[in-house]
Amino acid sequence: MNGFVGDFRPRGINATAALLAVIAFALGALCFAKGATDGDLIFLWLGGALLLLGVLIPASLKMANQWERAVILRFGKLQKIAGPGMFLIVPVIDQVQSWLDQRIQTTEFNAEQALSKDTVPVDVDAVIFWQIHDPERAALEITDYRSAISRVAQTSLREMVGSSLLSTLLADRKSGDEVLKNEIGRKTAEWGVTAISVEIRDISVPAALQDAMSREAQAQREAAARVHLGQAEQQVAIKFVEAAEIYARSPAALQLRAMNIIYETTKERGATILMPTAMVDAMNPGGMLALAGFGVSQDGGGRPPAAAPAAAPTTAVPATRRRRRPVIDAGTPS
């Protein structure tokens, strides 16, 4: 039998064998024509031999690609593993049992509604990358190694899910990949197949559980946010206490801070602020002017001026509350 076993595809005649067969047929036809014309039996026998050779060439001359290996049986027993390149077999006696592809191949597998260790049903999708390292055992030890790899991968995946917690599956996929690779590789090594790597692509949990996990994560984050907010409030309170102590030791600093707050409030939008008279008196504008003059004299003359008398507190009177005094005309008799 010339073909594949299981999922293998039958191969046709290679181009080199077909070309040699055509040449043999052409030469045989010429020899037959020559023998028939001259009546020479030698040419007739030679033509028959060439025609027979043209028939046998496609059946005996085979070619394997660089990544392929051919398993050849002779009378049902293993003869050799041929390839890559051209090789010969004996027609009828030898047969190519299977052609094996030694390139890295992939197989997708999944586990639906598999129960984890904490009895949570999950759907897991994964893919395995494998390669044939022993063509002889892959051809003789198992009927269909592709189907066997898929079944072993699914069984190993369910075993791994059943022995792991859901949190472990979601948080540590790399560890799950390594466990699956070792388990599948241990089982497929007997068939001449090496498991190169396994990758878990997706883990799906029920929608109700997703909603519960989302609410739990949201509650944890809200609790952490409140803790951070309380810590921030504590730090702000400490800073306020330190600032209050500084302002208590220096009333001028408090007045300057108050004036700066008023300035910062009104500089952008030009807002009008109504202030109580008591607050204006507390700012002591006269004292502020004296301090400003003292700073200017220090910058200009290099020595402090004589102490200026303290200015009496003044109160700003709104323009709308001022009253005009009656004007008396001297030229008019009363």
Side-chain angles (χ1 to χ4, degrees), residues 287-322:
M288 294 296 113
L289 293 176
L291 291 175
F294 177 75
V296 172
S297 63
Q298 282 282 70
D299 295 338
R303 58 182 181 181
T314 59
T315 303
V317 180
T320 55
R321 298 181 60 184
R322 295 176 184 177

Side-chain angles (χ1 to χ4, degrees), residues 109-112 122-126 157 161 169 200 202-204:
F109 60 100
N110 57 20
E112 297 181 357
V122 295
D123 297 338
V124 184
D125 293 332
L157 179 59
V161 171
L169 291 175
I200 297 177
D202 186 30
I203 300 178
S204 301

Side-chain angles (χ1 to χ4, degrees), residues 234-304:
Q234 181 181 7
Q235 296 176 0
V236 170
I238 293 174
K239 294 300 181 181
F240 279 165
V241 170
E242 295 176 356
E245 293 176 354
I246 295 174
Y247 289 146
R249 292 194 301 266
S250 178
L254 178 59
Q255 294 174 357
L256 290 175
R257 179 56 180 163
M259 296 178 67
N260 180 259
I261 292 175
I262 296 173
Y263 171 72
E264 292 293 336
T265 305
T266 58
K267 71 175 184 179
E268 294 184 358
R269 299 183 179 179
T272 302
I273 300 178
L274 299 178
M275 300 177 58
T277 305
M279 184 175 180
V280 176
D281 293 339
M283 291 184 181
N284 194 4
M288 294 296 113
L289 293 176
L291 291 175
F294 177 75
V296 172
S297 63
Q298 282 282 70
D299 295 338
R303 58 182 181 181

Side-chain angles (χ1 to χ4, degrees), residues 68-278:
E68 292 178 327
R69 299 295 184 271
V71 180
I72 300 174
L73 302 180
R74 176 170 293 179
F75 294 116
K77 295 182 179 181
L78 178 66
Q79 174 64 20
K80 63 179 180 179
I81 304 295
M86 302 290 294
F87 60 92
L88 292 172
I89 63 173
V90 179
V92 181
I93 297 177
D94 294 342
Q95 62 180 359
V96 179
Q97 177 66 19
S98 59
W99 297 84
L100 302 180
D101 191 337
Q102 287 197 300
R103 292 175 293 183
I104 297 176
Q105 303 181 56
T106 60
T107 298
E108 298 179 358
F109 60 100
N110 57 20
E112 297 181 357
Q113 298 298 314
L115 290 178
S116 62
K117 190 175 182 179
D118 46 355
T119 64
V120 177
V122 295
D123 297 338
V124 184
D125 293 332
V127 59
I128 178 174
F129 297 83
W130 54 272
Q131 186 179 30
I132 296 176
H133 68 269
D134 191 344
E136 179 180 341
R137 299 179 69 179
L140 303 179
E141 297 293 335
I142 191 168
T143 303
D144 187 354
Y145 61 85
R146 289 182 182 273
S147 177
I149 291 172
S150 178
R151 299 295 184 272
V152 166
Q154 288 181 347
T155 304
S156 301
L157 179 59
R158 286 187 172 273
E159 292 176 354
M160 190 269 293
V161 171
S163 61
S164 303
L165 298 174
L166 177 61
S167 58
T168 304
L169 291 175
L170 296 175
D172 193 5
R173 292 192 181 186
K174 295 296 182 181
S175 178
D177 294 345
E178 191 66 23
V179 171
L180 284 175
K181 172 192 170 184
N182 296 334
E183 184 66 18
I184 297 174
R186 181 182 61 82
K187 297 177 181 179
T188 59
E190 301 177 358
W191 312 330
V193 177
T194 300
I196 299 176
S197 66
V198 178
E199 296 182 4
I200 297 177
R201 298 187 300 177
D202 186 30
I203 300 178
S204 301
V205 297
L209 181 58
Q210 291 182 13
D211 185 55
M213 294 171 64
S214 176
R215 291 198 303 269
E216 180 182 2
Q218 183 178 359
Q220 292 177 354
R221 292 178 181 176
E222 184 176 355
R226 292 186 177 183
V227 171
H228 292 321
L229 181 60
Q231 293 175 352
E233 290 290 342
Q234 181 181 7
Q235 296 176 0
V236 170
I238 293 174
K239 294 300 181 181
F240 279 165
V241 170
E242 295 176 356
E245 293 176 354
I246 295 174
Y247 289 146
R249 292 194 301 266
S250 178
L254 178 59
Q255 294 174 357
L256 290 175
R257 179 56 180 163
M259 296 178 67
N260 180 259
I261 292 175
I262 296 173
Y263 171 72
E264 292 293 336
T265 305
T266 58
K267 71 175 184 179
E268 294 184 358
R269 299 183 179 179
T272 302
I273 300 178
L274 299 178
M275 300 177 58
T277 305

